[in-house]
Amino acid sequence: NVFKFLGQSYRENLIRFHEDAQFGNKLILKEYDFIVVGAGAAGATVARRLAEVPEWNILLLEAGGEESLITSIPAIAHYLQFTNYNWGYHTEKELHACKGLINQKCPWPAGKGLGGSTIINNNMYTRGNIKDFDRWAQFGNEGWSYVDVLPYFLKNEDINVPDLKQSPYHGVGGPLPISYPSFKSKLVDAFLDSAPEVGMRVGDYNAPGSHVVFSRIQSTTFGGSRVTSATAYLQENLKNLHILEFGYVTKILIDEKTNTAYGVEFVKNRKKRRVISKKEVIVSAGTFNSAKLLMLSGIGPKEHLESLGIKTIRDLRVGDNLQEHPAFAGLNFVINETISFVPDRVYRNFIGEMIKISQKKSWMMVLPPEGVGYVKTKYNTNAGDVPDIEYIFLPCSIAGESGLGGSIGRRSMGIPDRLYYEMYNGSLAKDSWSIWPMLMYPESRGQVRLRSANPFDKPVINGNFFADPMDLNRIVEGIKMAIELSKTKAFQKYGSRLHQNPMPGCQHLEFGSDRYWECCVQTMTMQMHHQSGTCKMGPAWDRNAVVDPQLKVYGVNGLRVIDCSIMPTITGGHTVAPAYMIGEKGADLVKSSWPTGNNGTL
Ligand SMILES: Cc1cc2nc3c(=O)[nH]c(=O)nc-3n(C[C@H](O)[C@H](O)[C@H](O)COP(=O)(O)OP(=O)(O)OC[C@H]3O[C@@H](n4cnc5c(N)ncnc54)[C@H](O)[C@@H]3O)c2cc1C
C-alpha cells in the first residue's frame, strides 16, 4: 500500500487549503480563536503571525483562489488585470479626471486571491518617507512613529541587494525577499546617469535621510519571479492555520446586546454559512472591501446605511478619506536604438525569450517600471527630504504597444482606441521610454459607499481626483521636469525626443503649456492603485476615525481592521511595504491583547 501512503502524505501536505474537494481535504471547524478576512499583503501576514501561537487556531477566509505559474512572471502584471485575480472596480464619472477614458471612468483594480493585490501588483518595494509615520503619531496614533514601525519593516524583509545587506535599514531573514530585478536595461542606466546632471544623486530611497534620490527599483521578486504575500507567509503547512479559498465573506456577525463581533457569514459554492470567532474577527479585505464589509455589517455613516435599509450598529465615517496616487502615463520619449522593451518584438521571439529567462537576460524578468526618482517641485515647501513627485521610469512607453500582445497596458488604463491611435500615431511599437510622474501626497479625498445592501454588488467609488487643484499643479510640474531630464546627455546619447502629437481634446491649447498638460492629465489620468484610508486610524477625539491606534473598531468589541484602509494619510511611495508593516504590527497588537507567554512578538 505504498500508493495509499504516498497519497495520504500528499494530501496532508495540502491540508492548509481546507475543503478542497479534489484532494479530500477536511471541512473547516465550527469555531476558531481568530478569523481573518482576506489573504492579501496584510491579511496573510496577520494570519501567519497569529498561528505562531500554538494554542490558538486561526481561519483565513479568502474570496479568490490560489496564484499560478503565470502570475509569477513580473512583466505580465498588466495582463492579470483581465483575469479573476482582479475585483475589476471603476470609479463613477469623475468631475476632474479620467475624462478621455472609456465611459469617462477610472479603472481601479484590486487583487483577489491568496496574495491579494500582491498577485497583480508591479512588485515595487518602497516604504515611504519617515515623516509619513511620524505624522501618523503626531495625529495621536501612539506607537506608529517611524521608530516604532521600522522594526516591523525589518521583520518582513529579506534583502537580497548585496550593497544593502549591511544597512541597518534593511532586514535579513524575513519572509519577503527584496531584490533588484534580475535583468537591467541600458535605459535604466541612462536614467541613473542623468541624476547628477540635474543635481540629484543615486541612493537607497528606503533609508532615512535619502528620500530625494534616483534608484533602480527594489522589488518583491526572487530570482526574477514575483513573490506574493501567500508565497512569503502561507507556504508552510501549519496545523493551526486553516485556509479557505473562494470563501466570500458577506457579513460580520455582531451581538448587539454586548456590541461584540462573534463570527462571520460567508458564501462558498453558493451556500451561505457561518463560522464563529472566540476571540476576534480581523478584517483585512483591502481598502475597498474592508469598508464595504463594515458597512454591510451595520458599521458606517448612519445616513448612508439607513438609506439602504441597513440597521446602524455604529455610526462611523467608514468609506471616507479614500486616498490614492494619481499620475500621468502619457509621456513617450522616442529613441534611435533598439534597446527598449517593445512587447511586439519580445513576443514574436517567444522561444528566444524563454531561453533568455534561463540566462537571466529576459525582458520577462523586468517589472514594467525599472527605476524611481523622488523629486521636489517648485510648489514643495517641505523642509528637508520630503519630495512631492515620484518619477516612475520605464524602458518602454504605452506607445510602444502595438502588434502582438500590444494593447494590454493601455486597456488596463481604460484608454480608448481613438485617443490612443491619434495620440501615438507615428511612434507605435517603436523603441521608447517613459517617466510617469506620480503625485505623492494628494490633498483631495475620495469616498467608498455601498451600491446596495447586496454584498455581491460592486461598491460606489468616487476618487474625487484633483478636487484640490494643487494636486494637478504638482503633476504638471513633474511632467515638465521629466521633459527637462530627457534633455540630459545621458538620455541624449540615445537621441531621446518627446513624441509631440497633441492629445485629442487638448489640441486647442498651446502644446507644452501648463494648461495643455493639465488637460492631458485630466483626460488620460493614470492611477497607481494605492487605495488607502477608508477605515481611518485615529485617536478617540478624531470624529473621522474608524479604528483606534490598536486597530480596534470604535465601539465594537472583538473586531479589528488590519490593512491599508487604516492609513490616516497615504504614505509617500507605493503601498505594499506599508501594508506588510501594518500586518506585522497589527499581529503584535492582537497578540499583546491576549497574552500567552512566548508568542513571538518583537
Ligand atoms: C494593479 C496594482 C498594482 C500595484 N502595484 C504596486 C507596486 O508595484 N508596489 C506597491 O508597493 N504597491 C502596489 N500596489 C498596491 C499594493 O499591492 C497594495 O497596497 C497592497 O497589496 C494592499 O494590501 P492589503 O492587505 O490592504 O489589501 P490586498 O492585498 O488587496 O488584499 C485584500 C484581500 O482581501 C480579499 N477580500 C476582499 N473582500 C473579501 C471578502 N468579502 N471575503 C473574503 N476575502 C475578501 C481580497 O480578495 C484580497 O485577497 C498595486 C496594486 C494594484 C491593484
Side-chain angles (χ1 to χ4, degrees), residues 37-44 61-64 77 81 86-87 89 108-126 220 229 247-250 284-287 289-290 293 369 528-531 562-565 567 573-580:
V37 181
L61 280 165
E62 167 53 49
Q81 290 184 32
N86 181 10
W87 286 88
Y89 295 151
W108 209 331
K112 184 182 195 180
L114 289 159
S117 297
T118 69
I119 303 175
I120 64 171
N121 76 9
N122 282 315
N123 297 100
M124 298 170 74
Y125 179 84
T126 69
T220 51
S229 63
Y248 190 118
V249 179
T250 49
S284 301
T287 290
N289 289 314
S290 287
L293 187 57
M528 286 297 140
H529 323 310
H530 297 161
Q531 47 269 23
I562 306 184
D563 60 23
C564 280
S565 68
M567 290 189 189
H574 303 242
T575 43
V576 89
Y580 280 113

